[in-house]
Amino acid sequence: MFCENCGNEIEKTSKFCPVCGQRVEAAGAGFKGRKRTGTPARAVSRNLIYGFLGLFAVAVVVIGTVKLFGGGQKNRENPAGKAVCGIR
């Protein structure tokens, strides 16, 4: 017998699907036919959330590193050659 929600094969005596937790109707009333392929919707949305959180974390680390180490000393003279901030 197969789960109606995710298509996972389950035992006939099970009351819930061990993969997605969907309540299983009476024995033999489950998904009849081909096994579904792919990932259940709940797992897909969870993976998207984790992906965006990971991407955000990487962006924070990169921006922090650039701010910390990327701000080197720049030439403080203006184009006219006059001293700026008392440095010549």
Side-chain angles (χ1 to χ4, degrees):
M1 162 164 92
F2 295 95
C3 174
E4 293 177 357
N5 186 46
C6 69
N8 184 57
E9 189 170 8
I10 54 177
E11 296 180 24
K12 292 182 181 183
T13 58
S14 295
K15 293 185 180 183
F16 296 94
C17 174
V19 174
C20 70
Q22 176 74 25
R23 184 175 178 87
V24 178
E25 299 297 324
F31 180 74
K32 296 186 183 341
R34 251 183 342 156
K35 182 178 179 180
R36 293 183 190 175
T37 58
T39 308
R42 185 179 297 157
V44 170
S45 64
R46 190 179 313 144
N47 288 342
L48 282 174
I49 291 170
Y50 290 150
F52 282 123
L53 286 175
L55 187 61
F56 179 74
V58 168
V60 167
V61 168
V62 168
I63 291 171
T65 303
V66 168
K67 290 283 188 184
L68 186 64
F69 297 111
Q73 187 77 8
K74 295 191 171 120
N75 186 0
R76 295 191 179 263
E77 288 189 15
N78 63 18
K82 296 182 179 178
V84 177
C85 299
I87 301 172
R88 182 78 171 133

